[in-house]
Amino acid sequence: MSTSQEESGDGQSMIRIFDTTLRDGEQSPGASLNTAQKLEIARALERLNVDIIEAGFPITSPDDFEAVQAISEIVRGCSVAGLARCTEKDIVRAAEAVKKAAKPRIHVFCATSAIHRQYKLKRAEAEIIKLSVEGVKLAKSFVEDVEFSPEDASRTELPFLTEVVEATIEAGATTVNIPDTVGYSTPDHFTNIIEYLMTHVKNITKAVISVHCHNDLGLAVANSLAAVKAGARQVECTINGLGERAGNASLEEVVMAIKTRADVFKARTQINTKMIYPTSRLVSSLTGIYVQRNKAIVGQNAFAHEAGIHQHGVLAHRETYEIMNPQDVGIPESKLVLGKHSGRHALRDRLLQLGIELDDKQLEMVFEQFKMLADRKKEVFDEDIEAIVSQLFEEAEAMRSWELVSLQTMGGSGVTPTATVQLKSLAEDKMYLDAATGDGPIDAAFSCIMRLTGVEAKLQEFDLRAVTGGKDAQGEVNLELVCNGKTYRGRGRSTDIIEASVLAFVNAINRAVAGRRKNGASPEK
Ligand code: KIV
Ligand code: ZN
């Protein structure tokens, strides 16, 4: 039986890392991933050596269910968790999804704060306890490893929270997670919550106490670390801090704080820190959500020294201005550039350093694209390779209904911007052609695509950047469309930025068409 007082051999407490990038992280607006992409991230999380992967919320859609099931089948080294509300249908679905996992976990939750009890659940305290206990017991009938979360715990009255935690441990929960669902807490407040539970919950040593913080006030990592100091032995976090609204506690920051300040936390994790940077890159390239330059640990500037005094200090003795070694988080010492003479071995090695492990068939497909690009560009950078791989995973999903065949645009001053677009309907194996005018050539091309596909969409966000430096750089467009009230992301890359925009638009339209086809329920998460 696990206890909240677990210690490693060296007297330091072992902190379990529960990664929820594929569940809470995927709830970030616009971060939705297909099953192939989720599997690739799950493999990277396994190499990172997280303790638990929360793979999804199986009841929310057939896609979520399928992804949790597929991840359960391939991941052997970590526990795989599926989220469920305290209802029979949620728990049965989660149990079915994690059934084949080497170490299955069901994570059940029920809101406990007064505001949620009154306005969301419309239930009295006694009913909440009953629901939670029944949920844990039902989950326990399927798996040994059951986690319970009193949602909005940080705004729950402490005596009531104590009752819920005690009752759910009694019912069989092996981990009890304390979420700061709305990112309201502060480090002192969180210390107080955990210390209170440690002293008031009679059976507290029978479960691992976990923490799950959101970043609405920018305090998610600080609050998680305060909980660790107060006795929490599991931290829930996400790669790059992805997550609902302002995100969750960032895995890389929590792990490196515990490692770098082991003197303060007297704790350690089993994370293979050298895989942090490659995993961060992979998640960013597959979700299309960039990491800010000055992001701690994994941002482009995290180990860059601009000021002369700093550069001089680092050259004389690295530790003068660096508290961590960039190689410890997997930042490569030098950037190896591949070119048209590079072979499969060099490509495979580079992919591994980028956190991407492909099977032979996938490698062959990437190699083909790489050779084509290397013919057009002298130097192929990491970002180019990541771009090819993320394209591969997009296309791996049978979600494409339309394909861009040709594009011609006309723009400039004194002319009416015009676009002629030819699309192929993959379902009908038939070509469609249309021409339109617009505010600019991109707008004109988007109008053509909407007419040809019959999908009405509103462009909500449009972001263009160069994937690498140099005048032959590929342009990458990430955009967001709203279609029937739902948001769909699309991405396209090309050395021609108008083509990149059109590819991104078609990609988002394909997602919207696939979304319309899906008939799964999507309950509130
Ligand atoms: O933020 C939250 O409360 C959650 C729970 C489901 C753990 O994500
Ligand atoms: Zn959350």
Side-chain angles (χ1 to χ4, degrees):
M1 166 68 66
S2 347
T3 77
S4 57
Q5 308 301 325
E6 279 182 339
E7 281 199 357
S8 63
D10 53 11
Q12 288 184 315
S13 300
M14 270 315 273
I15 308 298
R16 296 175 184 193
I17 297 296
F18 176 110
D19 180 278
T20 182
T21 307
L22 295 172
R23 200 278 297 170
D24 222 334
E26 214 235 355
Q27 285 175 220
S28 297
S32 70
L33 297 159
N34 65 37
T35 300
Q37 293 167 326
K38 286 184 185 173
L39 277 170
E40 194 52 26
I41 292 176
R43 284 194 197 96
L45 293 172
E46 196 175 17
R47 290 193 291 275
L48 185 63
N49 213 20
V50 304
D51 297 86
I52 302 109
I53 296 175
E54 186 165 53
F57 192 175
I59 194 73
T60 54
S61 72
D63 272 7
D64 246 52
F65 176 83
E66 181 195 298
V68 177
Q69 200 173 41
I71 291 168
S72 299
E73 281 172 27
I74 62 142
V75 167
R76 300 288 96 185
C78 335
S79 301
V80 177
L83 184 66
R85 291 168 298 185
C86 285
T87 68
E88 188 178 340
K89 67 178 184 352
D90 275 41
I91 295 169
V92 169
R93 195 81 173 135
E96 182 62 25
V98 298
K99 181 165 88 183
K100 298 225 174 99
K103 294 184 250 176
R105 174 180 289 198
I106 298 178
H107 177 189
V108 288
F109 72 100
C110 181
T112 51
S113 62
I115 191 167
H116 279 240
R117 293 193 313 260
Q118 188 182 345
Y119 296 104
K120 190 177 89 171
L121 299 175
K122 300 185 175 49
R123 304 238 188 192
E125 289 183 2
E127 290 176 286
I128 298 285
I129 296 193
K130 188 165 177 282
L131 258 180
S132 306
V133 164
E134 283 171 0
V136 169
K137 285 189 173 159
L138 181 60
K140 198 81 182 173
S141 69
F142 294 105
V143 294
E144 177 47 39
D145 189 4
V146 173
E147 171 169 334
F148 175 75
S149 287
E151 192 190 6
D152 206 17
S154 58
R155 291 194 297 171
T156 302
E157 311 86 319
L158 284 172
F160 181 54
L161 187 62
T162 303
E163 266 187 73
V164 176
V165 172
E166 201 169 292
T168 49
I169 295 176
E170 185 58 34
T174 39
T175 300
V176 176
N177 179 43
I178 307 300
D180 182 24
T181 305
V182 290
Y184 173 73
S185 200
T186 63
D188 285 347
H189 178 218
F190 226 99
T191 303
N192 186 41
I193 297 173
I194 303 293
E195 284 179 356
Y196 186 96
L197 294 175
M198 290 293 180
T199 46
H200 289 79
V201 175
K202 292 194 200 76
N203 51 5
I204 196 94
T205 56
K206 293 205 175 123
V208 171
I209 296 304
S210 169
V211 57
H212 175 114
C213 296
H214 280 268
N215 206 29
D216 300 66
L217 293 173
L219 293 172
V221 171
N223 290 338
S224 304
L225 293 172
V228 166
K229 275 219 84 178
R233 293 294 171 259
Q234 174 178 289
V235 179
E236 302 200 354
C237 41
T238 58
I239 302 293
N240 301 335
L242 285 183
E244 282 273 22
R245 307 179 308 278
N248 287 59
S250 126
L251 180 146
E252 55 278 9
E253 293 176 25
V254 168
V255 167
M256 290 315 288
I258 292 174
K259 183 176 162 78
T260 309
R261 298 308 310 272
D263 58 324
V264 172
F265 297 107
K266 315 245 177 306
R268 62 190 181 87
T269 71
Q270 62 161 25
I271 293 296
N272 173 4
T273 61
K274 287 194 164 37
M275 294 311 296
I276 285 180
Y277 183 70
T279 313
S280 157
R281 291 287 293 255
L282 179 74
V283 169
S284 162
S285 94
L286 294 185
T287 56
I289 297 186
Y290 308 133
V291 172
Q292 79 197 52
R293 283 185 88 98
N294 60 332
K295 163 89 175 60
I297 320 292
V298 291
Q300 219 175 311
N301 292 356
F303 294 93
H305 303 276
E306 181 69 24
I309 297 176
H310 289 208
Q311 288 175 351
H312 174 75
V314 170
L315 289 174
H317 185 72
R318 194 182 55 77
E319 281 89 354
T320 49
Y321 286 100
E322 267 182 10
I323 57 164
M324 292 166 278
N325 187 337
Q327 274 110 61
D328 279 353
V329 296
I331 295 181
E333 222 166 330
S334 64
K335 282 207 162 189
L336 196 79
V337 179
L338 300 181
K340 66 176 178 187
H341 300 297
S342 309
R344 287 177 183 74
H345 275 307
L347 180 65
R348 194 192 279 277
D349 278 0
R350 196 71 210 139
L351 283 164
L352 282 176
Q353 284 177 34
L354 294 173
I356 303 161
E357 203 175 296
L358 301 180
D359 60 32
D360 291 347
K361 195 167 148 228
Q362 290 170 323
L363 181 74
E364 211 42 52
M365 286 158 84
V366 172
F367 188 67
E368 226 172 84
Q369 295 290 318
F370 160 74
K371 280 286 173 190
M372 272 157 56
L373 190 63
D375 273 342
R376 278 194 280 138
K377 282 177 105 237
K378 216 167 120 256
E379 294 176 317
V380 178
F381 296 95
D382 289 353
E383 292 81 354
D384 291 315
I385 298 174
E386 286 169 341
I388 296 174
V389 171
S390 57
Q391 200 88 18
L392 171 85
F393 285 114
E394 294 262 329
E395 283 165 13
E397 194 84 343
M399 65 188 292
R400 287 191 318 148
S401 306
W402 296 93
E403 190 178 81
L404 177 67
V405 178
S406 68
L407 165 74
Q408 259 180 28
T409 55
M410 198 170 68
S413 46
V415 289
T416 306
T418 315
T420 306
V421 177
Q422 188 175 29
L423 293 183
K424 181 176 176 185
S425 157
L426 298 174
E428 299 165 278
D429 195 22
K430 195 171 156 193
M431 299 291 185
Y432 289 88
L433 182 78
D434 199 2
T437 56
D439 286 343
I442 294 179
D443 181 50
F446 288 179
S447 298
C448 285
I449 296 166
M450 286 194 279
R451 281 209 306 243
L452 289 172
T453 59
V455 178
E456 253 323 298
K458 197 167 167 298
L459 184 66
Q460 177 162 275
E461 220 183 275
F462 182 93
D463 181 42
L464 165 68
R465 63 169 197 146
V467 176
T468 57
K471 63 179 172 32
D472 61 355
Q474 293 201 86
E476 177 179 282
V477 170
N478 271 283
L479 51 74
E480 236 174 62
L481 301 182
V482 180
C483 183
N484 291 332
K486 288 208 163 126
T487 304
Y488 298 95
R489 252 188 124 75
R491 182 171 20 184
R493 298 181 193 89
S494 167
T495 40
D496 172 340
I497 56 169
I498 298 183
E499 188 180 64
S501 310
V502 169
L503 286 168
F505 200 81
V506 173
N507 180 223
I509 292 281
N510 277 332
R511 284 172 181 238
V513 174
R516 268 204 314 222
R517 267 196 246 117
K518 270 177 218 151
N519 48 8
S522 9
E524 206 182 293
K525 288 189 184 181

